[in-house]
Amino acid sequence: MRWGAHNVRRHGTGVKRFHHAVVGDLTLAFEGLESTAEPELSFLIYTAEPGSPSEERLRLPASWAAGRPAAGVDSLTAP
């Protein structure tokens, strides 16, 4: 509901560089948003530029997670 009403007050944008121990250097754009209703609540959203080396590097750990079943899935299978 708050997002639909655009009930956010301050945001910051920029670029941040990270070094991941396995995939290497990442350059990600970020945007931070704060809720006016709950000032202690904030959101940081990081994205890699499409087609960039950072996007390719982010796909590697995502592929590791995609290959594993979610927690509790085994308990849902038939005996």
Side-chain angles (χ1 to χ4, degrees):
M1 181 87 155
R2 291 184 190 137
W3 287 113
H6 303 287
N7 194 11
V8 294
R9 66 170 171 218
R10 188 174 70 136
H11 70 277
T13 60
V15 175
K16 193 157 186 144
R17 289 171 181 77
F18 298 91
H19 180 78
H20 187 280
V22 176
V23 300
D25 294 331
L26 300 166
T27 301
L28 304 175
F30 72 88
E31 183 167 358
L33 304 169
E34 291 182 7
S35 170
T36 56
E38 298 184 40
E40 69 280 356
L41 181 62
S42 62
F43 303 91
L44 280 175
I45 303 158
Y46 290 92
T47 57
E49 184 177 333
S52 69
S54 292
E55 182 188 41
E56 292 175 23
R57 291 177 185 140
L58 283 175
R59 290 184 187 279
L60 183 59
S63 70
W64 300 334
R68 287 184 279 166
V73 170
D74 291 339
S75 64
L76 299 176
T77 58

